[in-house]
Each structure stands twice: as C-alpha cells, then as structure tokens.
Amino acid sequence: MKIFNTRLSTLSDTQKAQLVEQYQADDYLLLDFDTRQHSRFRAITVSGEAVGVDLPRTGGLKGDDVLINESGELMQVIAKPQAVTKVTAADDFLLMKGAYHLGNRHVPLMFDHSFDQGEAGYALYFENDHVLAQMLENLGLHIESTSVPFEPETGAYQTGQGHSHGHSHSHAHSHSDSHSHKESHSHDESHSHSHGHQHSHSHHDTPVGRSNDG
C-alpha cells in the first residue's frame, strides 16, 4: 500500500499536469471534514485503491492539499460534500449575531458567499446539530439542510493556513463542483450542544478506514 507522508506547499508545472491526469482517472482522495482532521489514516481513492496517510501533526488536511510519498507519487485531497446546516439571515447584522453564538460554543464554522445564496449574499455552515439549529431559529435566522464541501475557518493564529472552500480547485484540475454529486454523505450528529471537544480526535493517530465509500 502506498504511504503518503509529506504535504507539498508548491507544485511544478509537471506535477500540476500529473494531478490533472490523476483526477481524470479518479486517482484522488475524496474526504470529509472529520477524516481530514487525522494525521494518520487509511483511505480509498475514488478509483478504489487503498492508500495510507502518515503526516506530521501540523494541522488538518484541506481540500486541494497535495501529498507526496517517498517515490515521488502524488495524491490530491478533495473536500467531500457532506450534510451540513446552512444559515442565512435577512441582514448581515443578524447573521453576525448567529456567528457569534456559534463561535461562543466553539463550533467549526464555514463562512461563504460563493455558493448560490440568492438574496442572502452570505451564509454560515456547520455540521448538523438540532440544538444549535433551534437556537439560531429562535434568534430569527433561516436554517436549511444542504450538502457542500465543508471547510471551516482555521484558528486566527495559524498563519498560512487560511481556508479555501472545497470547491476552488484551480491549481490542479479544471473540474467544477460536479464531483460533489458522485457521492452523498449523511453526517448524523448525536452529540449534545457542548461542542468544545468535538474535534479533539484530530490529534490521534487512529486509522479511520475507508473514508469515501458510498
């Protein structure tokens, strides 16, 4: 099994071309947010090949990260569309208020204005939680279920790791979000509304098995 143990920060033109070919051959990893928080895990490429990831504990993987192994082979990570809650509001102030209350509960939160928002303009996304959804509705925000690549904000002190929503794949391949419909991932949440710990597993080295099976 191939083991990818280094994250590439820059790509040559040759490597970019190689990734385009690999994408066309379904030779890439389609991973949800929780899986991307691990530093060591086994996964299955879209084409069905088992691979391993063994990285230093330097933060979670993001959509479009590219990994390389000791043989120089590449593997691109694409953020997998998953079930999340989308939050919109009638005005920016109300949406900001919702973001404050979610952030106060340490909820991983994605801010976005490039998906189709209609009149809203901006939206927040978080992993499904009915308690949080009810709280936001009580504040007057609009809640709906959807499925998108989930790329929440990183910590403000993590320099050089600003988020890039999982649909911006400009550097390696020319596809749009069409890959987001290959699989659907129902991410049912059974935890309570105490969220400060929910992603502490990101520092464990526990294999998570096949991460993109349909």
Side-chain angles (χ1 to χ4, degrees):
M1 183 172 63
K2 298 176 182 178
I3 304 295
F4 295 88
N5 53 16
T6 302
R7 189 185 336 224
L8 286 180
S9 57
T10 58
L11 294 169
S12 68
D13 290 341
T14 299
Q15 289 171 326
K16 292 177 182 179
Q18 180 180 334
L19 288 177
V20 171
E21 293 180 1
Q22 287 185 213
Y23 179 78
Q24 293 171 346
D26 286 341
D27 186 15
Y28 61 92
L29 292 174
L30 191 60
L31 305 177
D32 63 19
F33 172 68
D34 288 337
T35 301
R36 288 183 278 116
Q37 302 316 293
H38 292 264
S39 58
R40 297 182 63 200
F41 57 90
R42 293 187 301 272
I44 308 295
T45 65
V46 173
S47 64
E49 178 184 5
V51 299
V53 174
D54 186 1
L55 297 171
R57 300 178 183 180
T58 55
L61 288 165
K62 293 185 174 297
D64 280 352
D65 274 354
V66 177
L67 310 178
I68 189 170
N69 62 12
E70 294 179 353
S71 300
E73 296 171 296
L74 304 179
M75 181 59 60
Q76 186 168 31
V77 174
I78 293 177
K80 180 179 182 177
Q82 61 187 83
V84 293
T85 299
K86 175 182 175 180
V87 187
T88 54
D91 58 73
D92 293 342
F93 178 79
L94 188 56
L95 192 65
M96 182 171 63
K97 187 175 180 180
Y100 167 80
H101 284 285
L102 290 170
N104 196 42
R105 289 160 176 77
H106 306 287
V107 178
L109 190 61
M110 183 172 82
F111 298 77
D112 193 78
H113 59 88
S114 58
F115 292 119
D116 181 16
Q117 308 303 354
E119 296 295 327
Y122 296 89
L124 309 175
Y125 298 81
F126 63 92
E127 292 181 293
N128 291 339
D129 185 297
H130 71 279
V131 174
L132 295 176
Q134 184 62 57
M135 175 194 73
L136 295 171
E137 286 186 323
N138 291 341
L139 290 171
L141 291 103
H142 176 69
I143 303 300
E144 64 180 281
S145 297
T146 188
S147 179
V148 297
F150 186 55
E151 288 278 26
E153 291 287 315
T154 55
Y157 297 104
Q158 297 182 29
T159 57
Q161 294 194 35
H163 70 285
S164 59
H165 304 301
H167 52 279
S168 56
H169 307 295
S170 59
H171 71 265
H173 37 78
S174 59
H175 66 284
S176 66
D177 275 335
S178 59
H179 67 268
S180 66
H181 303 293
K182 290 184 178 180
E183 304 179 51
S184 61
H185 178 70
S186 179
H187 191 92
D188 295 327
E189 295 290 341
S190 59
H191 58 278
S192 71
H193 60 278
S194 178
H195 295 276
H197 62 279
Q198 68 176 345
H199 293 295
S200 61
H201 62 272
S202 63
H203 302 293
H204 294 315
D205 292 336
T206 305
V208 297
R210 180 165 180 165
S211 57
N212 61 341
D213 50 337

